Every structure is written in C-alpha cells, then in structure tokens.
Amino acid sequence: MIVDLKLCNRTVFSKYFLTNLFQTRIFYKNAILDNVEGGSAQIAIHESKFLSSTLLFPNLDEQEKISQFFKQLDNTIALHQRKLEKLQELKKGYLQKVFC
C-alpha cells in the first residue's frame, strides 16, 4: 500500500518519522494486528479496514524533532559500531602478538 505523504499540497508526515514508526511494536499492534482477518498463517489486512482505523500522529514539527533525534541516535550507534570493530581488530592483533 502506498501512503500519500502530502495532503492538499502540504506535507503532513515526515518520511523518516514514518519509517521509524512502521518498525515499532506499537504500530504493529495497533495498525496491523487490530486489522488482521482470518486465521491462516498468512496475514490478511483489508485496505478499507486499515484506512478506517484511527492512528494518532504528532504534528509535522514534532515529527521532524523526533526524526532528528533518531537520526542522531542512529549516527551515534554507527560511530560506536565502527569504534568497536576497530578495537576488536586491535585486540585480535595483540592476541596474535602475545601467543605467536
């Protein structure tokens, strides 16, 4: 399903905010599980039921602030991940020097 990010030529959703929202358990529970029909292993969500459900969103300014926070957090995690990888390589090198 395509989500229209503009309403009357006015942006109402931050793409980054929606991307992060769609990955949360809260969204999955409230928007997906509440609209699932059938008892099979395959999830069936009917568009009309999904579109008629009520989902609350902060205003665009708040979405942008939340998005900026998570972008910064993602960048910090990536930075620390690179540092960790470098330290692991350094450890491996030291262990090779000690035991060889």
Side-chain angles (χ1 to χ4, degrees):
M1 179 186 330
I2 297 173
V3 176
D4 188 6
L5 300 180
K6 292 191 181 283
L7 182 63
C8 298
N9 294 324
R10 189 174 55 116
T11 301
V12 293
F13 295 113
S14 161
K15 290 179 186 178
Y16 194 81
F17 177 82
L18 287 180
T19 300
N20 283 291
L21 175 67
F22 293 160
Q23 297 174 20
T24 65
R25 289 184 180 157
I26 292 171
F27 177 80
Y28 183 76
K29 181 196 173 301
N30 294 330
I32 305 298
L33 291 182
D34 289 352
N35 293 306
V36 170
E37 293 185 6
S40 69
Q42 291 288 326
I43 295 176
I45 303 170
H46 293 280
E47 182 178 358
S48 61
K49 191 170 182 183
F50 178 78
L51 293 175
S52 67
S53 61
T54 302
L55 299 172
L56 301 175
F57 294 94
N59 65 42
L60 184 59
D61 185 51
E62 290 178 16
Q63 290 178 37
E64 292 294 338
K65 289 177 182 177
I66 293 167
S67 297
Q68 190 58 39
F69 170 78
F70 283 110
K71 283 181 187 176
Q72 184 61 45
L73 190 58
D74 286 343
N75 291 341
T76 302
I77 291 169
L79 173 67
H80 286 285
Q81 184 65 36
R82 287 191 298 273
K83 284 182 180 179
L84 174 62
E85 290 167 1
K86 287 180 181 180
L87 287 172
Q88 288 172 331
E89 286 297 316
L90 185 62
K91 177 183 174 184
K92 187 188 289 185
Y94 285 141
L95 286 171
Q96 286 177 351
K97 285 184 178 182
V98 169
F99 295 107
C100 287

